[in-house]
Amino acid sequence: MNKILTIAIKDVTLAFRDRAALILMLVAPFVLTLGLGAVTGRFSGDTNSGLSNIPVIIVNQDEGEIGEIMVDVFNSEDLDELLEPAFANNVAAARSQVEEDDVAAAVIIPAGFSDSLTADGEPVKIEVYVNPARPVSAGVVQSIVDAFVSRLEVGRVSGQVAVTQLVASGLVAPQNAQAVGEAIGQRQAEAGAENSLITLKRASPSADSESVEFDILAYLAPGMALLFLMYTVSNGGRTILAERHEGTLPRLLTTPTTAAQVLGGKLLGIFFTGLAQVGILILASTLLFGLKWGDPLAVFLLVAAVAAGATGWGSLLAAIAKTPAQVSSAGTAMMLMFGVLGGSFGFNFPLPGWLQIAGKLTPNSWGLEGFTALGTGGALADVVTPIIALLIMAAVLFTIAVALFRRQGWAGR
């Protein structure tokens, strides 16, 4: 273990002594964060988020209560300063306003949406028609709709479970199950109407308790850090092949060190380098921009999980490529592709649905989900899912990469 740790520390030291690598690992993400923050008004001093009075148009074709509740959400006092909702009856006209850049998004609640939640049949989905020219504002609208639908889905599933248990225990006759389910759904809808589904907290100097305001930099900074983390892990993967092609590996194997220990040290070094890179960027943005990342323990665990997931991709890349040059070329392509799919360049909702699903294969997507949750006041419990997803990603990729390395003889010497 000492040999593995020694090799890992050696690789971390070499990475941070490489000036060219430091530019891409630390300077580039920091400068891009600074530029994007200036573009969004984060540093102007006029507003802390750069977002207010987002124009959005609502088309409610649903005649049920759920549609009305959603309209109430967009009209709620909590979102009064954030959103500037308008209402229309014509779907085509609403989409036209989005295409003409009059609004950031159109939220279309289709007919039968309420009934689809309580009756068996084809699910009916709310459509968010987004304006790609306003990605951040449209992303806020999309997030509000996602939170609303998620709350409904949780209520629907819990209602089904409750009815199933009541029927199984004999407390409700099977022929009455549908009526009981509808009654539970009605009660949950009424509870949702009484308690705001979306709450926007605003900082108040006189408030006793700490409030959290959405800071656009809490999305931009981790987005850039995760984007260039992929460069770091691909560069680390390149060094694995470089050891063999530059002849240092055979010399290293003349010492009492096995190939498996060398490989373990190299992979651990990639992980440590990624961990240090993201940690430095977090510390710098905290000190220089006053950015609040959230619960320190949750941030640390999320950063470690992100570094593990990214290292998994870097090791797989090194296991597949034949030369260091191939790792460099493929690593750059992977960095940019993951940045687009995972949302590092902004919210990825304008992408087709299947590409958004593909984005879940990237550490960027899960990492941004976690950092955004923490930056808006979330706690450790709110990032458990991203952390687990990243650890699963890391385990699967490591397993595949190690198997490929073994076939190449790394673990057999």
Side-chain angles (χ1 to χ4, degrees):
M1 186 63 191
N2 288 338
K3 293 177 181 178
I4 294 175
L5 192 59
T6 300
I7 294 172
I9 293 174
K10 181 264 296 179
D11 276 11
V12 173
T13 304
L14 291 177
F16 280 90
R17 284 180 178 176
D18 186 341
R19 294 182 180 178
L22 282 178
I23 291 175
L24 288 173
M25 288 169 52
L26 299 177
V27 178
F30 190 80
V31 171
L32 284 175
T33 299
L34 190 65
L36 290 173
V39 169
T40 57
R42 169 60 172 77
F43 305 116
S44 65
D46 295 334
T47 173
N48 195 33
S49 66
L51 293 172
S52 62
N53 298 322
I54 298 173
V56 54
I57 188 165
I58 315 295
V59 181
N60 182 17
Q61 297 180 321
D62 181 36
E63 296 181 352
E65 187 173 357
I66 305 300
E68 288 298 325
I69 292 175
M70 183 153 196
V71 171
D72 291 341
V73 168
F74 278 90
N75 271 326
S76 67
E77 184 178 348
D78 285 320
L79 301 180
D80 181 54
E81 294 183 7
L82 180 65
L83 300 177
E84 187 177 325
F87 300 91
N89 297 320
N90 190 299
V91 173
R95 290 174 176 161
S96 178
Q97 289 195 47
V98 175
E99 293 165 357
E100 294 173 0
D101 198 24
D102 293 332
V103 296
V107 178
I108 301 166
I109 309 171
F113 178 68
S114 296
D115 293 338
S116 72
L117 297 175
T118 56
D120 294 335
E122 290 295 325
V124 178
K125 296 182 179 179
I126 296 176
E127 176 186 349
V128 181
Y129 194 67
V130 299
N131 183 350
R134 305 189 190 193
V136 176
S137 298
V140 172
V141 176
Q142 176 77 61
S143 299
I144 292 171
V145 174
D146 287 345
F148 179 86
V149 173
S150 177
R151 179 83 171 265
L152 287 178
E153 184 63 17
V154 170
R156 187 182 67 82
V157 173
S158 63
Q160 288 180 343
V161 172
V163 171
T164 301
Q165 291 179 341
L166 289 172
V167 172
S169 61
L171 296 175
V172 173
Q175 61 270 24
N176 297 327
Q178 181 175 352
V180 173
E182 290 177 355
I184 293 175
Q186 180 71 20
R187 182 170 300 178
Q188 290 174 338
E190 292 173 355
E194 293 172 358
N195 303 300
S196 176
L197 295 171
I198 308 292
T199 300
L200 184 67
K201 298 180 179 179
R202 299 181 177 83
S204 173
S206 59
D208 294 333
S209 59
E210 184 179 3
S211 298
V212 179
E213 186 174 345
F214 175 71
D215 188 342
I216 188 63
L217 211 60
Y219 187 91
L220 299 176
M224 291 299 103
L226 294 171
L227 175 68
F228 287 92
L229 174 63
M230 297 313 299
Y231 160 78
T232 300
V233 298
S234 62
N235 186 52
R238 184 190 62 77
T239 66
I240 295 177
L241 295 185
E243 293 278 7
R244 175 178 290 173
H245 284 260
E246 295 174 1
T248 54
L249 178 61
R251 292 200 298 271
L252 190 59
L253 292 179
T254 60
T255 66
T257 306
T258 65
Q261 288 174 324
V262 175
L263 179 61
K266 303 293 290 185
L267 295 179
L268 190 60
I270 297 173
F271 171 75
F272 282 164
T273 305
L275 193 67
Q277 176 197 7
V278 179
I280 291 172
L281 291 172
I282 288 176
L283 181 62
S285 60
T286 301
L287 296 176
L288 298 177
F289 303 145
L291 181 59
K292 296 180 180 178
W293 290 79
D295 179 8
L297 176 61
V299 170
F300 174 77
L301 294 177
L302 182 59
V303 170
V306 164
T311 303
W313 278 108
S315 59
L316 180 63
L317 189 61
I320 295 175
K322 302 297 183 185
T323 66
Q326 287 183 1
V327 177
S328 296
S329 302
T332 302
M334 182 177 69
M335 180 184 77
L336 296 175
M337 185 172 63
F338 279 18
V340 173
L341 295 177
S344 287
F345 294 107
F347 297 95
N348 63 352
F349 57 85
L351 298 176
W354 65 274
L355 281 180
Q356 293 184 37
I357 295 174
K360 290 299 183 183
L361 296 176
T362 70
N364 309 54
S365 177
W366 290 108
L368 280 172
E369 181 177 327
F371 284 120
T372 303
L374 293 176
T376 52
L380 178 59
D382 298 307
V383 295
V384 168
T385 299
I387 289 175
I388 292 176
L390 287 163
L391 293 180
I392 292 175
M393 179 187 299
V396 171
L397 294 174
F398 275 130
T399 301
I400 298 174
V402 169
L404 293 174
F405 280 127
R406 289 175 66 89
R407 292 181 61 184
Q408 298 169 14
W410 275 89
R413 301 183 184 183

